[in-house]
């Protein structure tokens, strides 16, 4: 167990950040899944910029690796183009 006030505060703040990161990551995964499942081109083109922004935000805050975000964006762009 932590012995210092600063360590206790760090434990609390880490937990809050963990919950926020988990929420953002799960929300983005669901958005990616919905975009992959979409069959209408117009709907997919509307969703695509929002999903890309979400992925960029995750990569910027190191929740996911920047190359993983790039790979997902590339595959999604290919999917939208083929609709």
């Amino acid at each position: 167990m932590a012995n210092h006030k600063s360590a206790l505060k760090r434990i609390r703040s880490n937990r809050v950040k963990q919950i926020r990161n988990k929420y953002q990551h799960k929300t983005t995964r669901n958005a990616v899944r919905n975009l992959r499942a979409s069959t209408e081109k117009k709907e997919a083109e509307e969703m695509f910029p929002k999903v890309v922004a979400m992925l960029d935000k995750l990569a910027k805050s190191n929740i996911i690796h920047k190359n993983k975000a790039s790979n997902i964006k590339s595959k999604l762009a290919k999917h939208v183009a083929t609709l």
Side-chain angles (χ1 to χ4, degrees):
M1 188 60 197
N3 293 324
H4 298 282
K5 274 191 171 182
S6 61
L8 293 170
K9 182 177 179 182
R10 176 61 68 187
I11 289 169
R12 289 195 309 270
S13 64
N14 285 346
R15 180 68 181 144
V16 170
K17 289 175 187 175
Q18 178 190 14
I19 292 168
R20 185 185 314 118
N21 290 343
K22 190 175 178 182
Y23 171 78
Q24 290 176 344
H25 195 189
K26 185 66 175 174
T27 304
T28 305
R29 284 198 309 254
N30 287 335
V32 168
R33 186 182 309 125
N34 291 339
L35 182 56
R36 283 190 180 134
S38 66
T39 55
E40 296 181 24
K41 188 171 181 76
K42 184 174 172 61
E43 178 187 342
E45 286 176 341
E46 291 175 5
M47 290 170 55
F48 182 67
K50 295 174 187 169
V51 173
V52 167
M54 293 169 84
L55 288 166
D56 287 337
K57 190 172 182 182
L58 289 182
K60 182 180 177 183
S61 58
N62 290 324
I63 298 172
I64 61 172
H65 196 273
K66 64 178 184 172
N67 291 351
K68 179 175 181 165
S70 295
N71 286 334
I72 294 172
K73 288 189 292 187
S74 172
K75 288 174 185 169
L76 288 176
K78 198 183 290 187
H79 171 72
V80 170
T82 57
L83 287 177

